[in-house]
Structure formats: C-alpha cells, structure tokens
Amino acid sequence: MDCRPWGKFDQATLRVYSLLFHLIDVGAAAGVLWDRFLTPSQRAVISQGLNMPPEQARSVVCFLAAMHDIGKLIPYFQALEPVAYVRLGQTLLADAGRVVHVPHARASMHVGLQLLDELGFAVGGNDSPAVRAAQCLGGHHGRFLQLDVDGAASAQRVDATLGGPVWQDLRRRYARLLWHLFGADAAPNRLSVEAAVLITGLTMVADRVASQRRYWVPNADTPSFGAAEHHSHARRQADEEVERLGLTRFALDRIPFTAAHAGLGEPTALQRSVMEELPHLAAERGSGIAVVTDAMGTGKSVAALEMARIFNEHCGTQGVMWLLPATAAADQAYEVLDRYVRAHQPEYAPVTLVHHHSDHNEAYTGRRLTPEDTTVLDGPPDAPFTDDQGNYGADETEYGPGTAGPDRWLRGRDNALLAQYTVSTTDQAQMAVLPVRHSALRMLALSGKTVVVDEAHALDPFSQLQLLRLLQWLGALNCPVVLLSATMPASTATELVRAYLSGAGRTGLNGVSFAPGYPGWLFADAATATAYRMPEPAQDEQRAAQRRTVRIRVRPVTYRRLGQTGRTVEAGERLAVIADALHPVIGRGGCAAVVCATVADAQDTYAYLRRIWTGPPEDLILVHARVRGRRRQHTLEATRGRLGPSGPRPARRVVVTTSLLDVSLDIDVDLMVSDLASVARLLQRLGRLGRFTRLWTGQERRPVWWDRENSPALTVLAPVNTRGATALPPGWDTAEPAVALHETARLLPSLDKEPLVVPDDVQALVEHVHGVTSGFAAQTTRLQQMATAHQTRTRRQEQLSAVHLVPPAKRVSSLADLHRQHLTTAHAATRPGLLPRRLLPCYRSADGTLTLDAAGLLPLPDQEHFSPRHLRSILDHSLPVPAAWVARPLSARHQPPATWKQHPLLADIVLLPTDSVTREGEHRFGHHWLRMDEELGLQHRKQQ
C-alpha cells in the first residue's frame, strides 16, 4: 500500500506525515471516543439511526471517521506543499492530469460518495445512506455541504477533476483497507439526521485529537512499516490521549445528601419529593423533560442536581450541562457544580466554565488561551455553497499562520464544551441550532448530559425561540432536560415542554397544559408525553416551610440625571429618595442594595451617594458590566463572599448595581431599593432580601434596626410626571417591554397596602402581568396600545430569530439544510442587536507609548507570539460594548497593534486611550461619545 501521499505537513520543520496513517489515527480515536466518551444514550441514538447493533454501528462510525480526509488524496491538495508533492513518485505525478481547485472537505464528500456506493451504501435522494454519509465526510470541517449526486459528485466529474485512474484506484484501496481495519462488514440501510449529526461531531473531536502537532510528529519521525502495525499503535496512542485530555466518562459514587451538598441539612419537601418519586418514573418511562418552579433561594439548583443524578442513572446520560443567561450567574454556578463534583471525591473530574469572559474567573484559570499547531498546514477551508474559494476571509482560518478572526469556537479550542460537567451561558448552547461552524460538535457536547436550563424565564422572545428549537433537538436526541425558574408563567412552561416533546416525535399536545404548579415540579417523558406532577401534600409542605412575608413600598419620584455640575438634588428627586430610603443603613449599619434600571443611572446613584457618604469608602460599592473585566470579577466575588450565607458579613455595606443582581446571585441584604421593573424582576430581587433569615436563626447577623415582625422592605421607585402619571425615563424600556413596566406600576399601589406572602402570592402576580391570559393590559387605551406595540416587537424579534435557525431534526432532508446560511459564531446573534466589540481602555504617555496602567508600568504587548500571561493581562483590562458604539471607521489611535490582528482573541479589540498627562480621554465614534472613568467605569452618551 502506497503511504507516500501526505496528510499533515509541518512548515517549521518540513516534517511530512502519511495521509493513510492520519486516517487510521482518526478512525482509532473515534473508536476510543465511542467506548470512553460517548454515553449509552448517544450510542443508542447512533445505533438506531443506522439500524444496526451497537458493535456494527461502532465499526461503521470508525470507518466514516477515518474516511473524513479521503479528499486529500487528490492532485490539488497534494500539490499544496511542493516539498511533499515531489515524494509521490512518477506514477501518481504522471496521472495527475489537470489540477482543479477543490477543497479537500468537499473532495472527501464527492469521492466518498462513489466509494461508499461500492461498499454497499445505497445512493438515492437526500436522505439515502450514501448521500448522508458522504455529507458527514464533507462536514468534518464544521459545515455540512450540499451534495449534487448528478453534478459535481457524479463519477464522470470526479474522474475528470480529481485525478486519473491511478489516483482513483489508490483511493479505492485506501477505503477498502479502512473498511477492513475497522471491522465494518455491512453498510447501513438508513442514516438518520440525528445519527449523522452525532457521527460528524464525533469525527470532529477525533480529528482534533489526532491532529495535534505533538500527537502526530513523533509518528512521522518513527513511522510504522505498514497499515496494520500503525493501526495497532494508533489504538494505544488514542486511548492514552483521550484519557489525557479528560474526555473519558466517569461515574460519581453515591454519597449521602448532606455530603453531596455541603452546608445543607435535610432536603426540603420539594427536593425530597424529587428524590423519592423521580427514580421510578425515569426507570419506567426513560428520558424526558422536567420543570421546577419555586421561590427565590429555596434550593432549585440542588433539586436540579438531584434530578440530573437520577436521569444519568436511568437514562444513559453522564454529566451535566448547566446553562444560565448571564456570565455572573454562570460564574457562581460553576463554583456550585465544581463543589458538588468534588464532594464525590473522583480521581479526575474536569468541570469547565464556558462563556466569553470565563478567563476573568480566578476559580477557572486552567484554560489555554493560545491556539495550537499554527504552523501545521491542513488545507484551506471549504465554502458552504460553491467550489469557488477565492475569498478565504469570509470564513474562519483553520490552517497555518495568519488572521484567524474573532471566532468564538477558536476561543474554546481546549474542548471546554466537551467536559462531562460544564457550566455555560445559554448562548453557547443556542449556537448548536444556528448555522454556524462546528454546530454538530456543540450538539454532541450537549446531548450526552442532562441539560439544566436555569432561569428559563429570563430570555427575550428572540432568544426564547432559539431555546425552543434547541429543546426540539434535545428531545430528538433523547437527552433529559431540567428547566428551573422562580417566576415562569404557566404558558411559558407549557410551550417549552411541548417543544421538547414535539422533537421527540409526540404530537397532538396543543390542548395539554404542562404547568407544574407553584411551588412544584413536573416530569413529562419523551416516550408517551405523560405528565407527572409533584404530589399536593409535598407541595403544601414546601409552601409552608418557605413561607415568609415581605413589604413593597412604592415611592413616586421625579427622574433627573445628576449631570457633571455637582448640582443640588432637590427633595422628591429619584436620587434624594434613594438616599432617604438608605438612611437606616447609612446611619446605623446593615447591608443594602440599590438596583438601577441602567448603567448610567447606577453611575449617577453611586456618584451622588459618594458625595453624602460619611463611612469608610470601601463600604460603598459600584458594580456593573461596563468596567474592566478583572475589576468586575473581583467586585462580584467579594460581594458574594461578604454577603453570602457564611460571611463574614460587614457591619455596613451598600451595593449599587444593575440587573446583575437579578440572576442567581446567592446574597442577602437587609434593605433594598429598586428602580421600577416588571413584577417578575421585582420578585427575583425580593429573593435577595432577608434571604438567609431562616438559616441564621439564633445568630446576631442583622442590624439593630431590623424588625423581622414587620418584614423586610423593598422600596420601588416609580418615576412620575407633574400630573402623577408613570413616565418612563429614556432607556428604561430597552431591557423590558414598556407595557410590563406600566402594568407593574398600576399594580404596585395594591401591593403597598398589605405584606406580600412568598411563595403563595408569587405565581398569581406573575400570571397577572406576564401570563398570556392576563387581561390587565386591556384596562386602559394606553396600555392596549403598548401591549399591541410589544406584541409587534415580539413578532419582529421572533421573525429575525427564525431567519437563522436550523430546522428541527424531523424536517431536515439534506444535511446541508443545517448550514444553508454562511454564519460565523462571531456574527451569530443569540440576542437581538447584540454583537459586542471588546474595548480596551489604556493610557498614552508623553512619548506616545501605550500602557495598560496610568503609571506606565505595563506597556501594551506588541509581538508576534503572545504568552498566556500577556493575553490574560490584555483581556483582564478590557470590557465588551455594543458594536454600534464603535461602528464608525476607526482612526489610527483606536487601532490595536498590527500583531494583534493575527490572534483570534485580540483581532476585534478597539483601543480607548487616555492621555496620561492631561487625563483627557473622551472619544467620539459617530454619534457615540465614550470616556473611561476609573471609579464609575465606562461612561457613554449619544449625541441626538
């Protein structure tokens, strides 16, 4: 067998690696991943999708993985590197014919179709086994390509463009050798969409394992004598490497509840109900979807972890993918999940954190920041539609040195999504149902675990539609899902459950409600769509145990910005009322939070409170998203530590923040002031008010003015005009619909009269404002108009979201339907209008040198290769901003050093320099003015 055609070439050392050996490497890695990485549920999906027993399916999967680069055995690819090309020998060189430009991923699909046909794969329409299997070969670079059976993939075209008879014969011999080495003895008679997606994802992982430079270079230096010898070596090497990369699955030992969840005593009534009822349901009915709704701070996360344990034991999954809507919430959940896994004392248990700012989290610093193998030539990328490859810049570069572009997948080259236990922001999972590169790998990473969607109510209509499509795919892949929420309308819960069940093939559910009750939980199995709810006695017990009262006090305020003049704030203004509400804390101690509608309002509030503050400066804290990444991370960590359940609690602390407080921050304050927000958000904020009162029974942790009998109080600031009617300030309706704010403002006076009972009153309030059956918006003509405008905007967001969504698995014919659009992960929107750019505030010295600090001690790195320390230093000082703020053509002073354009983590950064001498640092980008204040953070104003 001729081993001279090359598959890998190292430009730095001129090492050449045999294509045949690389194919065997990837097939062997796929076999190890089948045994040690794929879960029983994933293997079952693939086996059923191939209509084969598991062992036969394994052989076919290994064979298809090995065939992924068969398209490199063509004259065009082999000629890419002259040093390796001349080694092919006269026979192949003489038979090359006219060298036609065909990228090797597409060539693998075209030549693979004919080879698969000869091995017994039936060739027919888009859903035939040969066509889908060939698309799996072509999709290994991340995108599924359309296959034209009678055109470019026809035998006549392949013979005319991809080498003469000698090349064709060698490809045929390679294919039959791989068929034999991996034990394939029969072709499948079907190949489902779900199986094809998982096989392609597995091939991507196997290819990445075997393509590491340190993996194949030793093999190139000491090559085997033949294919059989190399196959034996490849299996051992792949086994060791999969183990080293942490891709092997592991089981957690059964330990007592109190040991698994450190710091907790006996389970709550809801948690105990889950632990008693769900095991036999999962054992009898198999996988499905669960919904947990309960008041804030009552242990939903613990219930989800117990559900995941039960599903993993009975449904063939292993691990947890915990999805949250915000990075701050994900950072905290990472600590919870990591602590839970470590409590079981496994020998090796990687827990990963995946979001755009995870490198700022000091608890998670093991992630590599530098792309590997940048000198390895692996062929140019493939276009999604045509063979015209003139414009490489439209795709992410995956070979050689050069611009890599700000692609989010390249930022996760350490396979963080593939870890058995992963915490991630929801947008990372939403990418699996968008036509972006490597979406199949994301689906592979999701489907083998129990997927927990925390704060499932918190997504806007744009993102909610993507979540619905994701649930459809998870249902099709038989993946268990847990939804958590404290303020989810019954209609939303029903819609999410129906989406999952429709993906699993269940129909006729339009009239069925899947509301779990409040507090409570529900489980609907994928096999029959039968709903099982938490027993009523357990619900009553949970309700009684968590019952507490809180007061909502409404304060009408006049809204006016503080401005830069240090003006006098008059009585009745928003800022004056905030100071008045905080008087007990300012004068007598305690902990309080002020939650502002916008970052600008938070900056104004902090600046005014600082003016009148008489205590130590460190007792007044400002935290929001527009500060440098490291400072924000440190502030959040310190806040969680000092205001968390174990303390040490400060004698006085006031935290001024934004909606960062709304999602999953496990803190307790004695007093809270909030700008007007929807009922759902106000209830979320109430969850941090007196949160640990029961936990601290008998402990002196409250200030002297605290009166438990009169209930903790949330002061809501209602902006009004001179007539006393609600008047929303500019920007307050960007985060939430105006109609929800107005409806809440109309509802608040009735809540001011009597204490609110939690959890008894929660669901009714949520349905009153947010439920689909609520008639509250119809009470006035103005609210009707706002509701109509909101519905119009919702439909527009859903239409925009639907433009890029991939179809459900049941509606896919050609696998190319999953990548009809050419969308990179850098430009795929998971929220409306959110395409952030990274801003780097820096300083310019008198001699023009740029530094990261005002003292001039940390110059901006400007070099060809960046160490992880340099990269982390740059990223720690940066912050994300909406792309529209810096969308104008950038001037030279805003451009980063030229060498940064070569790195995927730095290519999209915009500099915001401040003069070190004059301290002048305001910059104009079109209509947007930006200025970095060291204390207040980034200040933004827009010229009208």
Side-chain angles (χ1 to χ4, degrees):
M1 188 68 71
D2 190 345
C3 297
R4 287 175 296 180
W6 66 277
K8 297 287 183 186
F9 182 80
D10 188 357
Q11 293 175 326
T13 61
L14 303 184
R15 285 187 176 92
V16 178
Y17 190 50
S18 165
L19 171 61
L20 178 60
F21 288 177
H22 173 63
L23 301 183
I24 294 172
D25 286 344
V26 174
V32 173
L33 290 168
W34 174 282
D35 297 332
R36 307 190 63 183
F37 172 74
L38 288 189
T39 63
S41 67
Q42 290 175 311
R43 291 196 288 265
V45 169
I46 295 175
S47 298
Q48 293 166 9
L50 293 173
N51 196 26
M52 284 181 157
E55 281 306 310
Q56 269 190 306
R58 180 188 186 277
S59 297
V60 170
V61 168
C62 293
F63 165 72
L64 292 176
M67 287 283 287
H68 76 291
D69 268 352
I70 193 67
K72 288 183 176 179
L73 192 49
I74 61 173
Y76 167 70
F77 180 87
Q78 293 298 313
L80 286 176
E81 181 46 62
V83 173
Y85 188 55
V86 297
R87 299 178 54 202
L88 293 182
Q90 289 302 316
T91 304
L92 281 174
L93 293 176
D95 194 45
R98 183 170 61 93
V99 177
V100 178
H101 182 154
V102 181
H104 79 267
R106 184 173 294 277
S108 292
M109 182 174 66
H110 288 171
V111 304
L113 181 68
Q114 183 177 352
L115 298 173
L116 292 169
D117 182 19
E118 294 175 0
L119 291 170
F121 287 74
V123 179
N126 286 330
D127 59 350
S128 63
V131 170
R132 282 187 174 164
Q135 286 181 304
C136 289
L137 305 186
H140 78 272
H141 274 186
R143 299 186 189 278
F144 289 113
L145 309 171
Q146 182 60 47
L147 181 61
D148 185 357
V149 175
D150 298 320
S154 65
Q156 295 80 4
R157 284 282 297 275
V158 169
D159 293 346
T161 59
L162 301 180
V166 177
W167 292 83
Q168 298 164 23
D169 181 66
L170 188 57
R171 289 195 295 264
R172 183 175 296 109
R173 294 171 62 198
Y174 271 27
R176 293 188 177 276
L177 175 62
L178 296 173
W179 183 258
H180 166 72
L181 284 177
F182 293 106
D185 55 11
N189 57 20
R190 67 185 294 261
L191 178 52
S192 70
V193 172
E194 297 88 343
V197 168
L198 294 186
I199 291 171
T200 305
L202 186 71
T203 301
M204 293 177 189
V205 179
D207 191 23
R208 293 195 169 188
V209 169
S211 294
Q212 299 173 96
R213 185 177 182 278
R214 59 173 188 76
Y215 189 94
W216 63 262
V217 164
N219 297 336
D221 290 338
T222 57
S224 303
F225 287 103
E229 180 189 357
H230 186 76
H231 180 232
S232 178
H233 166 75
R235 286 181 297 179
R236 294 192 302 271
Q237 185 181 17
D239 196 64
E240 294 172 359
E241 187 63 16
V242 168
E243 176 81 27
R244 191 195 73 81
L245 292 176
L247 295 176
T248 55
R249 302 288 182 176
F250 55 90
L252 298 181
D253 296 334
R254 291 293 300 272
I255 60 176
F257 178 88
T258 52
H261 308 283
L264 297 183
E266 294 300 314
T268 66
L270 187 147
Q271 294 161 358
R272 187 170 60 252
S273 173
V274 166
M275 295 163 65
E276 293 174 353
E277 303 289 335
L278 188 59
H280 72 84
L281 292 172
E284 293 174 4
R285 304 182 185 181
S287 184
I289 185 170
V291 184
V292 180
T293 56
D294 200 359
M296 299 65 65
T298 54
K300 293 186 295 296
S301 297
V302 173
L305 291 175
E306 289 299 314
M307 284 183 160
R309 174 185 61 80
I310 294 166
F311 284 138
N312 290 339
E313 289 178 357
H314 297 284
C315 302
T317 50
Q318 293 174 302
V320 173
M321 176 73 78
W322 195 344
L323 306 177
L324 298 105
T327 58
D331 288 339
Q332 181 163 297
Y334 170 76
E335 296 173 11
V336 173
L337 184 61
D338 186 64
R339 191 163 54 243
Y340 171 79
V341 174
R342 303 286 172 242
H344 293 77
Q345 298 182 342
E347 290 185 8
Y348 177 69
V351 181
T352 58
L353 175 64
V354 187
H355 59 69
H356 296 165
H357 316 306
S358 58
D359 302 305
H360 299 158
N361 188 329
E362 288 187 347
Y364 183 65
T365 55
R367 185 179 177 195
R368 287 193 298 272
L369 297 180
T370 306
E372 294 183 344
D373 300 343
T374 55
T375 66
V376 176
L377 182 66
D378 199 23
D382 204 353
F385 305 121
T386 69
D387 290 331
D388 180 12
Q389 295 295 301
N391 182 15
Y392 294 160
D395 210 341
E396 306 93 332
T397 303
E398 63 179 359
Y399 69 101
T403 301
D407 185 76
R408 300 303 183 190
W409 171 249
L410 291 178
R411 301 186 183 197
R413 284 300 293 260
D414 56 345
N415 299 316
L417 283 168
L418 299 169
Q420 186 166 332
Y421 288 89
T422 302
V423 176
S424 170
T425 46
T426 310
D427 61 339
Q428 296 290 335
Q430 289 168 229
M431 292 288 185
V433 290
L434 293 175
V436 299
R437 206 166 194 183
H438 305 109
S439 57
L441 192 144
R442 291 178 185 268
M443 198 65 75
L444 176 79
L446 284 163
S447 62
K449 311 163 189 172
T450 296
V451 177
V452 178
V453 185
D454 208 344
E455 308 291 353
H457 65 279
L459 300 177
D460 52 55
F462 187 98
S463 303
Q464 193 82 357
L465 191 64
Q466 295 180 349
L467 177 59
L468 291 171
R469 185 57 47 84
L470 176 63
L471 291 175
Q472 286 181 309
W473 271 88
L474 294 177
L477 292 166
N478 207 31
C479 175
V481 173
V482 180
L483 306 176
L484 304 180
S485 179
T487 54
M488 182 188 291
S491 56
T492 301
T494 296
E495 185 180 28
L496 294 173
V497 173
R498 284 179 186 166
Y500 177 91
L501 296 175
S502 70
R506 309 285 75 81
T507 58
L509 302 175
N510 287 338
V512 182
S513 171
F514 292 98
Y518 195 95
W521 62 272
L522 170 143
F523 170 67
D525 66 281
T528 68
T530 304
Y532 180 93
R533 290 175 174 82
M534 179 180 178
E536 288 188 12
Q539 273 188 304
D540 294 338
E541 183 183 351
Q542 177 74 4
R543 195 176 293 116
Q546 306 295 342
R547 187 172 288 124
R548 65 190 182 106
T549 58
V550 293
R551 286 190 175 275
I552 294 181
R553 296 195 175 98
V554 184
R555 299 284 299 271
V557 299
T558 302
Y559 179 86
R560 187 180 174 190
R561 292 292 306 276
L562 180 63
Q564 305 295 325
T565 60
R567 66 175 181 83
T568 301
V569 175
E570 300 176 358
E573 281 192 41
R574 172 182 172 275
L575 296 174
V577 173
I578 290 175
D580 182 62
L582 292 175
H583 181 72
V585 174
I586 295 175
R588 305 172 67 187
C591 299
V594 182
V595 190
C596 304
T598 68
V599 170
D601 291 324
Q603 292 170 330
D604 274 2
T605 302
Y606 175 82
Y608 178 69
L609 291 177
R610 184 184 57 190
R611 187 195 304 176
I612 64 174
W613 193 256
T614 58
E618 62 269 17
D619 286 347
L620 179 63
I621 294 174
L622 173 66
V623 57
H624 56 75
R626 292 185 205 151
V627 295
R628 289 182 174 91
R630 177 61 66 189
R631 175 186 162 189
R632 172 176 170 270
Q633 184 67 28
H634 280 168
T635 306
L636 284 173
E637 288 176 357
T639 301
R640 290 203 306 264
R642 299 301 298 277
L643 302 184
S646 57
R649 195 169 179 84
R652 180 192 289 108
R653 184 64 49 90
V654 173
V655 180
V656 180
T657 184
T658 58
S659 57
L660 283 175
L661 190 73
D662 293 350
V663 183
S664 296
L665 286 182
D666 193 21
I667 63 172
D668 172 293
V669 294
D670 308 309
L671 184 150
M672 183 179 291
V673 182
S674 171
D675 281 329
L676 176 65
S678 68
V679 159
R681 289 206 174 189
L682 292 179
L683 290 171
Q684 288 286 337
R685 292 167 189 177
L686 275 173
R688 279 82 189 165
L689 185 60
R691 186 183 185 97
F692 306 133
T693 300
R694 292 179 184 272
L695 180 65
W696 293 343
T697 300
Q699 302 180 38
E700 297 297 329
R701 294 200 179 190
R702 296 297 181 190
V704 293
W705 53 264
W706 172 268
D707 184 0
R708 180 176 179 180
E709 298 302 321
N710 287 326
S711 308
L714 167 64
T715 300
V716 180
L717 309 177
V720 296
N721 57 23
T722 55
R723 300 187 305 275
T726 300
L728 296 182
W732 281 31
D733 60 349
T734 56
E736 294 190 282
V739 64
L741 298 178
H742 280 273
E743 289 177 0
T744 302
R746 286 172 56 85
L747 181 64
L748 284 176
S750 64
L751 299 179
D752 198 350
K753 297 177 181 178
E754 296 290 337
L756 181 68
V757 181
V758 178
D760 303 60
D761 298 338
V762 171
Q763 191 65 31
L765 289 173
V766 172
E767 299 294 344
H768 195 61
V769 173
H770 300 276
V772 293
T773 59
S774 172
F776 197 52
Q779 292 184 7
T780 68
T781 302
R782 188 181 181 199
L783 283 177
Q784 285 179 348
Q785 293 172 345
M786 288 183 183
T788 301
H790 169 57
Q791 291 167 0
T792 301
R793 186 170 69 171
T794 296
R795 285 194 294 268
R796 185 165 60 247
Q797 285 191 8
E798 291 175 345
Q799 290 169 354
L800 288 173
S801 181
V803 165
H804 287 154
L805 277 178
V806 304
K810 306 300 184 202
R811 286 172 40 202
V812 173
S813 175
S814 168
L815 293 178
D817 294 342
L818 301 177
H819 289 102
R820 289 292 180 194
Q821 301 171 74
H822 192 207
L823 197 65
T824 70
T825 49
H827 298 93
T830 55
R831 299 177 191 178
L834 189 65
L835 286 175
R837 292 288 297 273
R838 190 163 287 279
L839 198 67
L840 180 67
C842 56
Y843 297 87
R844 190 182 302 277
S845 63
D847 63 358
T849 303
L850 290 172
T851 62
L852 294 172
D853 63 323
L857 301 178
L858 299 173
L860 263 64
D862 186 5
Q863 55 210 46
E864 185 175 353
H865 301 291
F866 293 91
S867 68
R869 178 177 59 84
H870 284 138
L871 291 171
R872 184 164 282 114
S873 178
I874 294 170
L875 296 175
D876 284 349
H877 286 79
S878 66
L879 66 148
V881 297
W885 290 8
V886 290
R888 295 284 177 168
L890 300 180
S891 63
R893 64 173 180 160
H894 299 129
Q895 294 280 1
T899 55
W900 291 22
K901 293 294 185 181
Q902 308 301 316
H903 199 286
L905 290 171
L906 308 178
D908 61 346
I909 281 183
V910 176
L911 300 185
L912 195 72
T914 298
D915 191 286
S916 298
V917 178
T918 64
R919 296 300 180 188
E920 176 57 39
E922 189 168 40
H923 298 260
R924 180 178 180 179
F925 299 88
H927 295 297
H928 298 273
W929 292 81
L930 301 178
R931 178 180 179 275
M932 192 66 186
D933 185 285
E934 288 305 310
E935 190 171 13
L936 299 179
L938 184 70
Q939 295 179 301
H940 165 258
R941 60 186 177 91
K942 184 177 181 181
Q943 186 178 22
Q944 299 300 323

